[in-house]
C-alpha cells in the first residue's frame, strides 16, 4: 500500500539558472531525488559542478553593477512584483514543498506567504538605503558614511526549509544591491527551482539571481570562489567549521545560521494548555526538523507530571502520515539514515536514564516505506546526557524538571547552542526577567514561532552562529560601510 507519491508532472524542469539560461541539469553527477513519505524517486537530474559555479559567479558579477546602479524605487518595485507573483503562484508552490522534503501540504500556503512578505519587507528597504553625515573632528571637512553591497553573495541552504531559508537571505541581499548565486540542496530542490521561474516572470534582469542545484562540492566551490564577496550559510555546525576554514583562504566574510537545542521553560503559573500546545510544536514543526524548534523542555516540578500527561495526550491526537493529506499534521523525516540516527539518539537517551513517555518506534503499515517516527517524549532527562546536549533534528522532545527560576535560567543557558528560547509564564516581571537572561538570539514569551517574521532579527549566539537575518540588522549583513572624508580647506 503506502502513501501516494506527489504529482511528478508539476515538478519544475530547470535545476540551474545562469544568467539568461535555464538549464535542466549541470555538469555533475546524475542525482535521484527521493520523496521521504514513500522512499520513491521523484525525478533524476544532473547536479551542478564547479564549472557551473564559475559560470554562475561570472553571470552575477556581470549583472551586479547595473543592479547596484538601478534606482532604489525600481529595485523596490521589482521586489514588490516578485512578492505579488509568489502569492499568485502559491497553489503551484505548495505541492513542491511537500514533494521536495515531505513537508505537510497544509503548511504550504503559509510558506509562500512568508516568502512574499520577505520580498515586500526588504523591498521596502531598497528605496531607503541612506547613509549619514558625521561631524568630524580636526579641521573643516565634510564626512559621510555610505552602505555598499558586497557584490555577489553566495547562499547555501539546508534541505529542511529551502524556500524559507533562501528567501530570508535573498531579500536583504538583493535590496542592498548585491547579486546572488544560490545553491539549492540536491535533496530538496523544487521550491527554489520554482522560485527562479517566478523571479524571471517578475522581470528581474538576467544574472541578478542565479541557481546551482548541487551537493557539498558545489557549496565548497562557492566558498572558495574569489568572485563571491560574501557567503551566507544556513546549516549544521560541522559544515560551518569547514566553510570557515576554507573562507580563510580568500578572507571571505561568512554569515552563519546554524543549529539549536532551544530551551522551553514552563513555569507553574503558565497557561498550561497553551504552553503544552506550543511546546508540542517543537516536535511537530518542519516534521521535527526545524533549527529553532524548542526541543529541550524545562518544566517546574510542581506541574511536571500533569504537564507531561497533557503533552502526551496532545501528542496522541497529532496525525502523522501522508503529507499530501489535508488532515496530516506531521510528515516523515528526510531519509532512512536520518531516521536511524534519530532512533539511535533516543535509545542513547534511554540508556542514559531518560524515561520514554511515548513514541520512539518507526511507524509501520502504510508508513513503512517512508521515514516516519511519531512524536517522541523523553522525560527525566539529565541535562548532562547526550540527547539533552545535541541537536536531534527529529520529532523528539526531552523534558527535565526544575525547582526555581534561578535553576531554570541556568539549565536553559547550559548549552553550546543559543538559537531560540521560549518562556511560558503569566507573571509579567518574571517574563522580562527571564527573557533578559536567556543566551539565545531569539526569545519568545508565551510563543512558539510567531516571532519568525521578516521584520525582526533572527540568528544565533554561541554555536548557533553569528550574524542576523531579518529587520534592519538583516539588511546590514549584506552591506559594507564606506566612510568618505572631504577636506573643506583650500
Ligand atoms: P548541512 O550542514 O549538512 O548542509 C547544509 C548545506 O551545506 C547543504 O546545502 C550542503 O550541500 C552544504 N554543504 C555541505 N558541505 C559543504 C561544504 N564543505 N562547503 C559548502 N557547503 C557545504 O546541514 P543539513 O543537514 O542540510 O541541515 C540541517 C542543519 O541546518 C541543522 O543543524 C539545522 O539546525 C540547521 N539549520 C539552521 C537554520 C537557521 O536559520 N539557523 C535553518 C535551517 C536549518
Amino acid at each position: 500500500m503506502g502513501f501516494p507519491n506527489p504529482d511528478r508532472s508539476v515538478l519544475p524542469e530547470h535545476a540551474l539558472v545562469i544568467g539568461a539560461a535555464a538549464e535542466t541539469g549541470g555538469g555533475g553527477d546524475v542525482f535521484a531525488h527521493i520523496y521521504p513519505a514513500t522512499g520513491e524517486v521523484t525525478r533524476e537530474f544532473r547536479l551542478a559542478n564547479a564549472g557551473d559555479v564559475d559560470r554562475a559567479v561570472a553571470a552575477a558579477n556581470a549583472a551586479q553593477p547595473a543592479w547596484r546602479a538601478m534606482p532604489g524605487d525600481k529595485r523596490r518595485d521589482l521586489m514588490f512584483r516578485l512578492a505579488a507573483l509568489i502569492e499568485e503562484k502559491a497553489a503551484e508552490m505548495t505541492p513542491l514543498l511537500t514533494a521536495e522534503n515531505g513537508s505537510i501540504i497544509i503548511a504550504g500556503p503559509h510558506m509562500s506567504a512568508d516568502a512574499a512578505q520577505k520580498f515586500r519587507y526588504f523591498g521596502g528597504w531598497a528605496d531607503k538605503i541612506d547613509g549619514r553625515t558625521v561631524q568630524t573632528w580636526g579641521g573643516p571637512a565634510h564626512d559621510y558614511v555610505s552602505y555598499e553591497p558586497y557584490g555577489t553573495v553566495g547562499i547555501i541552504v539546508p534541505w529542511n526549509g529551502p524556500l524559507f531559508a533562501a528567501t530570508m537571505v535573498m531579500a536583504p541581499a538583493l535590496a542592498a544591491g548585491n547579486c546572488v548565486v544560490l545553491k539549492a540542496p540536491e535533496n530538496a530542490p523544487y521550491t527554489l527551482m520554482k522560485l527562479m521561474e517566478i523571479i524571471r516572470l517578475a522581470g528581474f534582469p538576467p544574472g541578478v539571481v542565479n541557481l546551482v542545484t548541487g551537493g557539498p562540492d558545489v557549496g565548497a566551490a562557492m566558498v572558495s570562489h574569489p568572485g563571491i564577496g560574501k557567503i551566507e550559510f544556513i546549516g549544521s555546525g560541522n559544515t560551518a567549521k569547514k566553510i570557515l576554514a576554507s573562507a580563510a583562504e580568500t578572507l571571505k566574510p561568512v554569515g552563519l545560521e546554524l543549529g539549536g537545542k532551544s530551551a522551553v521553560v514552563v513555569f507553574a503559573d503558565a497557561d498550561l494548555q497553551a504552553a503544552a500546545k506550543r511546546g508540542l510544536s517543537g516536535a511537530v514543526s518542519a516534521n521535527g526538523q526545524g533549527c529553532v524548534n524548542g526541543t529541550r523542555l524545562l518544566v517546574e516540578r510542581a506541574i511536571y507530571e500533569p504537564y507531561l500527561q497533557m503533552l502526551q495526550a496532545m501528542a496522541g491526537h497529532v496525525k502523522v502520515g501522508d503529507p499530501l493529506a489535508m488532515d496530516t499534521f506531521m510528515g516523515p523525516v528526510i531519509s532512512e539514515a536520518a531516521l536511524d540516527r534519530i532512533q539511535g539518539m533516543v535509545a542513547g537517551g534511554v540508556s542514559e536514564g531518560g524515561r520514554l513517555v511515548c513514541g520512539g518506534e518507526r511507524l509501520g503499515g502504510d508508513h513503512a516505506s517512508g521515514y516516519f517516527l511519531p512524536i517522541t517524549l523523553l522525560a527525566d532527562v539529565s541535562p548532562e546526557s547526550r540527547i539533552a546536549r545535541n541537536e536531534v533534528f527529529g520529532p523528539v522532545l526531552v523534558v527535565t524538571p526544575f525547582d526555581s527560576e534561578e535553576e531554570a535560567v541556568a539549565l536553559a543557558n547550559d548549552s553550546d547552542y543559543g538559537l531560540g528560547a521560549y518562556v511560558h509564564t503569566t507573571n509579567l516581571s518574571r517574563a522580562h526577567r527571564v527573557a533578559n537572561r536567556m543566551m539565545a538570539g531569539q526569545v519568545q514569551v508565551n510563543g512558539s514561532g510567531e516571532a519568525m517574521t521578516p521584520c525582526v532579527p533572527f540568528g544565533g549566539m554561541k554555536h548557533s552562529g553569528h550574524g542576523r537575518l531579518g529587520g534592519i540588522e538583516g539588511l546590514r549583513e549584506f552591506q559594507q560601510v564606506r566612510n568618505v572624508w572631504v577636506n573643506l580647506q583650500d
Side-chain angles (χ1 to χ4, degrees):
M1 277 290 287
F3 297 125
N5 279 300
D7 178 357
R8 293 178 173 93
S9 72
V10 302
L11 302 179
E13 205 184 328
H14 298 118
L16 280 79
V17 178
I18 297 179
E23 304 167 14
T24 51
D29 293 339
V30 173
F31 179 77
H33 172 270
I34 304 282
Y35 178 53
T38 60
E40 287 178 34
V41 173
T42 61
R43 222 199 94 181
E44 292 190 352
F45 52 89
R46 262 190 197 284
L47 300 173
N49 66 5
D52 297 319
V53 172
D54 274 343
R55 291 192 297 126
V57 174
N61 284 334
Q64 201 268 335
W67 180 246
R68 162 77 181 89
M70 184 185 280
D73 62 331
K74 298 281 181 303
R75 271 210 307 274
R76 175 202 64 200
D77 289 350
L78 267 176
M79 292 179 71
F80 282 3
R81 195 173 314 147
L82 176 58
L85 278 171
I86 290 172
E87 283 166 344
E88 232 178 274
K89 301 266 173 197
E92 292 171 38
M93 188 65 95
T94 289
L96 305 180
L97 280 145
T98 301
E100 71 182 2
N101 64 8
S103 291
I104 50 172
I105 195 101
I106 55 171
H110 168 72
M111 299 313 285
S112 282
D114 167 81
Q117 285 294 31
K118 286 167 177 155
F119 287 108
R120 209 166 268 130
Y121 174 81
F122 283 104
W125 276 116
D127 64 355
K128 300 173 191 69
I129 298 182
D130 303 330
R132 66 187 181 101
T133 57
V134 182
Q135 292 192 39
T136 51
W137 300 346
H142 174 56
D143 190 289
Y144 57 92
V145 171
S146 65
Y147 295 100
E148 300 299 324
Y150 279 91
T152 292
V153 170
I155 306 176
I156 303 173
V157 296
W159 48 262
N160 66 329
L163 183 67
F164 184 88
T167 52
M168 185 153 86
V169 185
M170 281 168 72
L174 292 172
N178 299 280
C179 285
V180 161
V181 173
L182 168 65
K183 183 180 95 63
E186 76 285 35
N187 50 352
Y190 297 129
T191 54
L192 294 183
M193 292 185 193
K194 184 74 185 176
L195 181 65
M196 293 305 294
E197 290 175 11
I198 303 176
I199 286 173
R200 177 185 284 213
L201 215 59
F204 276 65
V208 170
V209 183
N210 304 275
L211 178 77
V212 283
T213 301
D217 59 319
V218 174
M222 288 165 63
V223 175
S224 62
H225 203 292
I228 289 185
K230 175 163 184 174
I231 290 284
E232 184 67 33
F233 172 72
I234 304 182
S236 67
N238 283 338
T239 305
K241 288 178 191 170
K242 292 182 200 159
I243 287 180
L244 287 178
S246 162
E249 293 301 316
T250 48
L251 295 175
K252 200 179 266 113
V254 179
L256 297 177
E257 296 282 340
L258 309 177
K261 189 78 189 177
S262 301
V264 182
V265 182
V266 184
F267 288 100
D269 62 29
D271 173 343
L272 294 187
Q273 279 282 340
K277 202 166 158 218
R278 293 196 152 102
L280 215 56
S281 76
V284 175
S285 179
N287 300 343
Q289 304 160 118
C291 56
V292 74
N293 284 17
T295 51
R296 198 161 50 96
L297 273 54
L298 305 170
V299 182
E300 192 161 359
R301 202 177 299 274
I303 51 146
Y304 185 71
E305 285 302 333
Y307 185 77
L308 268 178
Q309 282 164 17
M310 221 179 260
L311 273 180
Q312 184 182 2
M314 285 183 185
H317 287 109
V318 173
K319 188 175 166 208
V320 183
D322 176 8
L324 288 165
M326 293 299 286
D327 59 348
T328 296
F329 274 86
M330 198 171 87
V333 298
I334 190 71
S335 64
E336 183 94 37
L339 191 70
D340 289 348
R341 183 183 49 75
I342 297 164
Q343 286 192 283
M345 288 186 79
V346 172
V350 171
S351 72
E352 286 187 273
R355 165 168 54 111
L356 191 62
V357 176
C358 59
E361 285 299 321
R362 181 178 186 163
L363 294 170
D366 273 348
H367 300 73
S369 52
Y371 318 125
F372 290 93
L373 198 69
I375 295 176
T376 300
L377 293 178
L378 216 56
D380 311 343
V381 167
S382 154
E384 298 310 319
S385 61
R386 279 166 299 165
I387 198 155
R389 307 205 72 82
N390 296 300
E391 187 180 43
V392 176
F393 230 51
V396 179
L397 301 179
V398 299
V399 197
T400 303
F402 68 83
D403 290 301
S404 67
E405 185 177 307
E406 199 58 32
E407 189 191 5
V409 171
L411 284 171
N413 288 338
D414 180 20
S415 173
D416 288 340
Y417 293 107
L419 193 56
Y422 305 84
V423 182
H424 293 279
T425 178
T426 50
N427 178 328
L428 184 63
S429 24
R430 166 177 274 165
H432 286 286
R433 208 164 51 227
V434 173
N436 280 294
R437 295 178 69 192
M438 289 289 149
M439 291 303 292
Q442 190 170 75
V443 185
Q444 300 191 39
V445 176
N446 299 330
S448 60
E450 298 90 333
M452 288 287 285
T453 55
C455 59
V456 299
F458 173 73
M461 295 183 183
K462 301 191 273 184
H463 289 194
S464 292
H466 54 246
R468 292 293 179 271
L469 299 172
I472 181 69
E473 291 84 356
L475 184 72
R476 293 281 182 250
E477 290 290 323
F478 302 101
Q479 296 178 315
Q480 35 192 354
V481 177
R482 177 189 292 133
N483 180 246
V484 177
W485 184 91
V486 183
N487 191 352
L488 295 182
Q489 211 158 25
D490 285 331

